[in-house]
Amino acid sequence: MKPEETLDFHIRWAWLKIAKMYNQQAAQYGLTQSAGFILLNIDPKKGTPSTQLGPMMGMEPTSLSRTLKNMEAKGWIAREKDQIDGRIQRIMLTSEGKRLRNISKKTVVDFNEKLLEEVSAEKLEHFKEVIQIIDKHT
């Protein structure tokens, strides 16, 4: 079987192209695709416990920790103790983090709208079904 005949070849190829596109757009704002993704996963009002971010995004703890530290140094996020449970550390967006989150959100929404102009609802449902089957086997 040739590599281009496998499903994982096409998934990997597409994701690498998507990540490259997001990184190119993010670089205009001093962001990376990973940092933008983290910003999108932080609740803009209540913040998000740091322990929830990794599992939500499928990131390794060391990569997440390094990226969060970098984002904090740039003033995009702040860490605060949870008011109910002091053992929990919440990641909060700063005003600059909220601004960059909005840019990241617009980038993702624009890309999805562009795709949905060319993909029918039926094809989208089939795609989601295939992705769920892949997820089940990984």
Side-chain angles (χ1 to χ4, degrees):
M1 180 179 275
K2 295 178 185 176
E4 60 272 10
E5 294 173 347
T6 65
L7 287 171
D8 60 327
F9 172 87
H10 293 283
I11 293 166
R12 186 174 49 252
W13 175 81
W15 176 246
L16 289 172
K17 288 192 76 162
I18 292 168
K20 181 180 178 184
M21 177 207 51
Y22 280 150
N23 270 318
Q24 287 174 338
Q25 291 185 15
Q28 298 173 45
Y29 303 97
L31 282 167
T32 62
Q33 178 259 331
S34 294
F37 194 41
I38 290 170
L39 291 170
L40 290 172
N41 282 280
I42 297 172
D43 184 303
K45 292 184 175 120
K46 299 183 289 184
T48 301
S50 57
T51 53
Q52 287 182 4
L53 281 174
M56 284 171 37
M57 300 182 316
M59 283 182 82
E60 293 296 321
T62 52
S63 295
L64 178 61
S65 179
R66 187 178 333 113
T67 306
L68 289 174
K69 192 173 189 176
N70 202 1
M71 292 171 71
E72 187 174 23
K74 291 180 178 184
W76 301 342
I77 61 166
R79 298 171 197 252
E80 295 180 6
K81 286 191 179 207
D82 187 89
Q83 293 180 1
I84 297 169
D85 186 345
R87 298 170 298 172
I88 296 173
Q89 192 176 65
R90 289 194 167 277
I91 305 299
M92 307 295 292
L93 295 173
T94 63
S95 58
E96 180 63 5
K98 289 177 183 177
R99 185 183 78 80
L100 292 170
R101 182 184 191 279
N102 288 336
I103 291 168
S104 298
K105 184 175 180 177
K106 182 177 180 346
T107 302
V108 170
V109 168
D110 289 350
F111 178 60
N112 277 269
E113 285 176 353
K114 199 181 303 182
L115 292 177
L116 293 174
E117 288 173 6
E118 297 183 41
V119 177
S120 69
E122 183 181 1
K123 284 183 178 179
L124 183 59
E125 281 308 308
H126 289 297
F127 173 76
K128 289 178 183 178
E129 289 170 11
V130 171
I131 290 296
Q132 288 172 356
I133 291 167
I134 291 168
D135 183 47
K136 186 172 78 174
H137 292 281
T138 58

